[in-house]
Amino acid sequence: MTMRRTDLLDLHEADATQLALVGGKGAQLGALSRIDGIRVPDGFCVTTDAFRRVVARVPSLDDRLDRLSRTDPDDREALRTLSADIRRAIEETSIPADLAAEITGALARLGEGTAVAVRSSATAEDLPTASFAGQQDTYLNVVGPAEVLRHVSRCWASLFTERAVAYRRRNGIDHRAVQMAVVVQRMVFPEAAGVLFTADPLTGNRRTATVDAGFGLGEALVSGLVNPDVFTVRDGAVIARAIAAKQRAVHALPGGGTQEVEVDPQRQERPALTDAQVLRLVELGRRIEAHFGRPQDIEWCLADDGFRIVQSRPITTVYPIPHAGDQERHVYVSVGHQQMMTDAMKPLGLSLWQRTALVPMHEAGGRLFVDVTPRLASPASRAALLDLVGRGDPLVRDALETVLDRDDPVPTLPDTGLAEPPAGGASGPPAAGASVPSDEADPAIVPELIERSRASVAALERDLRTRSGPALFDFLLEAFEEHKRVLGDPLSMRAITAGMEATWWLNDQLGEWLGEKNAADTLTLSAPGNITSEMGLDLLDVADVIRPHPEVVAFLKGVEKGAEDEGFLDELAKLPGGTEAREAIDAYLDRYGMRCVGEIDITRPRWRERPTTLVPLILDNVRNFGPGAAAHRFEEGRAKARQKEQDVLSRLRALPDGDRRAEAAKRMIDQVRAFAGYREYPKYGIVSRSFLYKQALLEEAGRLVQADVLSEREDIFYLTFPELHDVVRSQQADERLIRRRKDAFRSYETLTPPRVLTSDGEALTGAYRRQDVPAGALAGLAVSTGTVEGRARVVLDLADADLGADDILVTRFTDPSWSPLFVGVAGLVTEVGGLMTHGAVIAREYGLPAVVGVEGATRLIRDGQRIRVHGTDGYVELLP
């Protein structure tokens, strides 16, 4: 049975379900036309069925598209030539007689001699995930059937403009996957036209709308011919207006086409709209925004009897807002900036993190946020929160203070006398002063806590082996409660806090007493029991096993270049020394194979699942280090810490009341060395448990694939945990939902999450308010003392790292999986991070000068450029 072909469709019949037939613009205009009170010019769509009929007649089109797909995207001249050739071929292909007659008949129904706009409408255009704005062509004031047919062909051809081809290449979209419909609409001859943004496109604030307006057709504004009048509207009032001198406008010609005209000098500085008209337009925009469920970029025109809407597309650059379910003001803090993983997460990863977190977390844009509004509402809890986040990441504090400084801050509630604990349950920072914290923890709890965690993980692994189907999910719900119990264990919290308090005390007091900056950085070198720093050192030991065997090294170089797949470990045993090499790598994976970049998202491939990830790191260690490097580095760090301790204590004893000060410092040095290493262990336990959850869920996914419920195992990554539970129970999956989630995830990957986000949609990254940074230097947060100069290596993906011993690693963020790189570099610069995030902790462990929270570091620092990292003072100098 063949499907009925539809060459034309009335615009009012088009909707989102017919996207493949009428394209993004056609579907959006059809939906707009059905919103109460929204007027859209009448018209029709020449559908993608018609497009396919015509391009099937284009000579050698498949060959041309093949050449286009093979062309280097950086070869602009070749792309220009090929795309022009394809456009010319499409425009020269005749339209079938029956299709031409159908278009002519539809024009007659609009009215003999009616002028129309002929507008491209691609199937990948004006979508929630990619606007494709301006990638295809629009022709205004087209008069007569012959001209309309000619411009329909030109719209089809505009699918292959150079900019459209380049846009698709950048976004990974196959040229054959996009089809072109054409919208033909009755022409409107406006007094004024322009663009309405229903949210501030720069800040993302949803309460603020912006109207750009000019005389005549909107093309004068789009083309940059004139500066527009700009009106800013907030809460139903025009709060700002900037009226431009509009010297020129674009008007329609009587016989078709448009022309630029001079604006009467007496009208040039007259507003294109009255305030009342602006408010009416924004009201219409709010209706459209509510219908589509997200901020819109709306093209409008004003004719003598009111506003017409000629296009609306999503503003894809504003960051989404967590759903609060109420109309109250909320302030959210990014979880990803605390966890050093600001990439988008897939739905299953988000869902599991939410179910195992100690505080409620809200999703937006594929990231998680904590609502801190209740803690900002009370003066005492507000001060405690600001102090805590300020110690960790001054940019978060600054962003929160920016919100609090507004005229309409979070409502203040009476103080209860009790400050709420910060998110996650950790206690606040110690009070300043010479006395040590009164509730010092017993170091003996550390091995006890580690053993508890190991036993809990072992029990989880054992119990998961016997569960499948719905019973697995019932068990996992219990396992998540155990997960939270282990994570929130008060004794574990006390151990973590003990190390942090001791660090803060030493830095504060030694700074005051001795003028030392960040003295704890040296005092914590090679602190025992740090599972993350051990991970880097243990990989040096793996390199020691491999280094004496040239054939193994040569084989691994082939793996690094992609000559071998993930089964390369099986091949190692066939080589001289290969058995020992495999055993060393396997032992490493047994201990650390649950780790990976972005490990808070369980959908990310783990080292055990993709061991080739480790090969470049192992080869770097083989090349850059000699035998015994791990033990040497650890002992060297311990000796520096011991020497620093002796120096500090002797200098303290020389001060007035020196014995008491030295005694207090010694107790804090002992405390920080006893507990600093444990800081990393709870995360190790979380990731160990999460990998077991993942393995169990993937086994279940395999059964769903075998039963033809899912197409592939990884489809479960695009379902939440409850949704996956329902699929297992019902043995039915919604493929369309999974496809939508995949599209949404791709769009979220392009977004940059803010440190702080308000329910108004304002995204804040914060700023450093400092006077001590030299001109031209990049400010950041000092997290590991020392100064180092070297070659910057800008690395965005761990797999692409190629570092020498004197290089300085510059990246967006580092989580524990990056630690093996730290043993081979001279310094660290990241865009995200705080004093107690993993990258900072390990930088201190290894004695690497480090500055984190350097906004835009990977963009402002060139790969290969020489830089100087001031880890003590918190800035980076760019050297000539």
Side-chain angles (χ1 to χ4, degrees):
M1 177 179 174
T2 58
M3 294 187 65
R4 179 178 175 274
R5 194 183 71 228
T6 303
D7 288 336
L8 257 64
L9 193 69
D10 188 272
L11 189 60
H12 297 287
E13 297 173 355
D15 61 30
T17 65
Q18 295 163 310
L19 177 67
L21 193 63
V22 299
K25 190 176 274 96
Q28 196 87 341
L29 287 168
L32 282 166
S33 69
R34 288 190 293 280
I35 301 174
D36 185 41
I38 304 301
R39 300 172 67 182
V40 175
D42 293 336
F44 59 90
C45 291
V46 183
T47 70
T48 54
D49 282 351
F51 171 76
R52 279 189 289 271
R53 284 182 67 193
V54 172
V55 296
R57 300 157 62 107
V58 176
S60 307
L61 182 61
D62 280 339
D63 291 341
R64 290 170 161 137
L65 290 178
D66 286 342
R67 290 204 306 275
L68 192 62
S69 297
R70 290 194 301 267
T71 302
D72 184 340
D74 294 326
D75 190 345
R76 297 193 56 181
E77 185 57 40
L79 286 178
R80 184 180 299 117
T81 301
L82 277 170
S83 58
D85 180 50
I86 293 171
R87 288 198 307 277
R88 185 165 52 251
I90 293 173
E91 289 184 36
E92 290 173 355
T93 299
S94 61
I95 296 175
D98 63 325
L99 175 57
E102 205 173 345
I103 293 172
T104 300
L107 286 170
R109 288 191 291 276
L110 288 178
E112 200 68 41
T114 297
V116 295
V118 182
R119 315 179 69 195
S120 305
S121 179
T123 53
E125 181 180 26
D126 297 337
L127 307 179
T129 54
S131 75
F132 281 71
Q135 297 309 311
Q136 282 83 44
D137 290 344
T138 288
Y139 302 98
L140 301 178
N141 197 31
V142 181
V143 180
E147 282 299 292
V148 170
L149 291 172
R150 185 169 73 87
H151 284 85
V152 166
S153 289
R154 292 181 70 185
C155 282
W156 286 332
S158 74
L159 191 61
F160 296 97
T161 61
E162 184 185 350
R163 64 182 182 274
V165 166
Y167 191 94
R168 288 196 293 273
R169 292 296 294 269
R170 282 197 304 273
N171 287 276
I173 297 170
D174 190 319
H175 298 303
R176 289 182 175 84
V178 184
Q179 308 289 314
M180 179 68 83
V182 180
V183 173
V184 179
Q185 282 180 285
R186 187 189 302 275
M187 185 69 192
V188 177
F189 302 100
E191 303 154 25
V195 179
L196 159 65
F197 295 98
T198 64
D200 188 318
L202 298 179
T203 68
N205 196 314
R206 269 57 160 187
R207 292 171 63 194
T208 300
T210 302
V211 175
D212 290 3
F215 294 127
L217 293 166
E219 271 46 48
L221 304 186
V222 174
S223 65
L225 182 64
V226 296
N227 291 323
D229 296 340
V230 179
F231 301 86
T232 305
V233 176
R234 186 180 176 91
D235 298 334
V238 177
I239 61 170
R241 62 184 62 75
I243 308 305
K246 301 169 288 294
Q247 297 175 341
R248 303 187 69 77
V250 174
H251 286 290
L253 292 168
T258 61
Q259 70 172 4
E260 294 179 19
V261 297
E262 294 274 356
V263 175
D264 185 332
Q266 294 183 336
R267 294 183 65 222
Q268 287 180 3
E269 297 190 17
R270 187 183 303 168
L273 297 176
T274 66
D275 281 7
Q277 288 171 329
V278 169
L279 295 178
R280 170 62 180 155
L281 177 60
V282 170
E283 180 192 344
L284 296 175
R286 294 296 181 211
R287 288 191 199 180
I288 295 170
E289 179 183 61
H291 177 84
F292 292 116
R294 61 185 302 169
Q296 298 287 302
D297 164 359
I298 299 167
E299 296 176 23
W300 57 269
C301 52
L302 176 66
D304 50 9
D305 56 348
F307 286 103
R308 306 290 197 283
I309 303 301
V310 294
Q311 187 51 31
S312 182
R313 61 176 65 88
I315 306 175
T316 56
T317 55
V318 296
Y319 201 86
I321 306 172
H323 177 68
D326 59 39
Q327 299 301 312
E328 301 298 319
R329 299 278 173 81
H330 295 270
V331 180
Y332 303 94
V333 170
S334 164
V335 172
H337 284 81
Q338 299 169 45
Q339 291 294 331
M340 295 292 279
M341 210 294 277
T342 56
D343 288 349
M345 295 170 66
K346 296 186 179 75
L348 187 61
L350 291 165
S351 180
L352 261 68
W353 194 263
Q354 287 173 303
R355 285 182 168 269
T356 53
L358 295 180
V359 295
M361 293 187 176
H362 307 267
E363 184 274 334
R367 280 86 171 179
L368 292 171
F369 294 84
V370 172
D371 186 354
V372 297
T373 315
R375 289 174 192 151
L376 294 175
S378 158
S381 60
R382 177 187 304 171
L385 177 67
L386 291 175
D387 196 14
L388 183 75
V389 299
R391 284 182 179 271
D393 185 344
L395 294 177
V396 175
R397 176 170 185 149
D398 182 79
L400 289 173
E401 288 177 333
T402 300
V403 173
L404 292 169
D405 287 343
R406 297 278 166 76
D407 294 334
D408 50 358
V410 176
T412 301
L413 301 176
D415 245 334
T416 62
L418 294 172
E420 292 187 51
S427 65
S435 62
V436 298
S438 58
D439 54 343
E440 293 176 64
D442 181 357
I445 67 174
V446 171
E448 178 186 341
L449 286 167
I450 290 174
E451 184 51 40
R452 281 191 205 176
S453 177
R454 286 175 179 161
S456 178
V457 171
L460 174 65
E461 184 172 18
R462 182 186 64 244
D463 293 341
L464 279 172
R465 292 194 194 108
T466 62
R467 266 73 172 192
S468 64
L472 168 66
F473 287 81
D474 294 338
F475 173 75
L476 283 173
L477 290 172
E478 297 174 10
F480 296 160
E481 293 306 310
E482 167 68 4
H483 184 123
K484 288 193 281 189
R485 189 199 66 74
V486 172
L487 183 59
D489 184 342
L491 202 59
S492 178
M493 292 291 187
R494 186 67 200 102
I496 294 170
T497 305
M500 294 168 66
E501 287 176 337
T503 298
W504 292 336
W505 189 94
L506 286 166
N507 283 337
D508 289 347
Q509 295 307 132
L510 297 183
E512 179 183 336
W513 291 337
L514 300 177
E516 289 268 357
K517 281 188 177 181
N518 305 322
D521 293 359
T522 305
L523 292 167
T524 54
L525 287 173
S526 297
N530 188 314
I531 189 73
T532 307
S533 63
E534 288 171 3
M535 182 168 64
L537 297 175
D538 285 352
L539 201 62
L540 287 173
D541 290 338
V542 172
D544 284 354
V545 175
I546 290 168
R547 191 180 292 105
H549 305 291
E551 290 184 55
V552 171
V553 173
F555 174 77
L556 291 178
K557 287 179 180 177
V559 174
E560 182 182 27
K561 293 174 182 176
E564 298 284 342
D565 59 17
E566 297 300 338
F568 77 94
L569 289 173
D570 294 331
E571 299 297 314
L572 272 178
K574 302 173 184 177
L575 302 171
T579 300
E580 298 95 313
R582 171 165 186 160
E583 288 174 352
I585 294 173
D586 268 334
Y588 187 85
L589 291 172
D590 287 343
R591 192 176 189 202
Y592 305 112
M594 77 294 291
R595 312 221 80 150
C596 70
V597 173
E599 62 192 11
I600 70 170
D601 181 357
I602 71 156
T603 71
R604 293 286 191 103
R606 310 283 136 174
W607 288 347
R608 173 55 82 182
E609 297 170 308
R610 194 174 290 175
T612 53
T613 306
L614 293 174
V615 171
L617 305 179
I618 293 170
L619 289 174
D620 280 348
N621 288 346
V622 168
R623 183 178 68 249
N624 294 331
F625 296 95
H632 173 74
R633 287 178 67 97
F634 188 80
E635 286 304 319
E636 184 180 43
R638 190 156 59 178
K640 286 181 179 178
R642 203 161 39 233
Q643 182 179 353
K644 184 70 171 179
E645 176 182 337
Q646 293 169 355
D647 174 64
V648 162
L649 295 179
S650 66
R651 289 164 63 196
L652 286 175
R653 291 190 185 100
L655 298 175
D657 199 18
D659 288 343
R660 185 183 65 82
R661 298 188 193 200
E663 180 186 354
K666 173 61 175 170
R667 287 167 62 192
M668 286 296 96
I669 291 170
D670 290 346
Q671 181 165 312
V672 79
R673 291 195 65 79
F675 291 102
Y678 180 73
R679 164 70 177 78
E680 292 292 299
Y681 202 88
K683 180 72 171 289
Y684 177 78
I686 291 170
V687 177
S688 297
R689 295 181 68 88
S690 296
F691 188 35
L692 294 174
Y693 305 151
K694 179 182 185 180
Q695 289 173 309
L697 292 172
L698 281 175
E699 284 184 23
E700 200 61 39
R703 288 187 277 272
L704 292 171
V705 171
Q706 287 180 341
D708 292 327
V709 176
L710 295 176
S711 299
E712 55 187 22
R713 290 197 316 162
E714 287 73 18
D715 282 348
I716 68 168
F717 296 162
Y718 298 93
L719 299 171
T720 66
F721 183 80
E723 288 168 348
L724 179 54
H725 194 175
D726 288 341
V727 169
V728 170
R729 276 195 297 243
S730 66
Q731 292 293 291
Q732 292 182 327
D734 185 342
E735 290 186 5
R736 289 177 300 176
L737 173 65
I738 292 170
R739 281 199 302 272
R740 287 200 303 274
R741 293 275 177 77
K742 289 179 178 180
D743 288 341
F745 176 72
R746 282 192 291 270
S747 74
Y748 295 153
E749 286 184 297
T750 67
L751 298 175
T752 300
R755 283 178 168 82
V756 171
L757 181 65
T758 73
S759 52
D760 292 335
E762 188 170 9
L764 300 101
T765 58
Y768 293 104
R769 316 290 178 178
R770 296 172 53 183
Q771 305 298 320
D772 61 337
V773 177
L778 307 179
L781 180 63
V783 296
S784 185
T785 194
T787 300
V788 65
E789 182 178 320
R791 179 180 65 161
R793 298 311 309 266
V794 179
V795 180
L796 301 181
D797 186 334
L798 183 64
D800 298 331
D802 181 15
L803 300 164
D806 296 323
D807 288 343
I808 297 169
L809 173 62
V810 180
T811 189
R812 290 181 297 137
F813 59 80
T814 64
D815 58 14
S817 69
W818 288 71
S819 299
L821 275 185
F822 287 16
V823 300
V825 296
L828 173 69
V829 178
T830 69
E831 294 181 345
V832 177
L835 274 170
M836 299 310 295
T837 48
H838 302 277
V841 171
I842 305 308
R844 291 193 289 271
E845 281 284 316
Y846 289 162
L848 296 179
V851 179
V852 303
V854 180
E855 196 69 25
T858 60
R859 176 175 48 84
L860 299 171
I861 299 173
R862 298 189 315 275
D863 185 51
Q865 181 177 14
R866 290 197 67 78
I867 61 174
R868 186 178 297 122
V869 177
H870 294 263
T872 305
D873 296 311
Y875 63 88
V876 180
E877 285 186 281
L878 310 181
L879 303 178

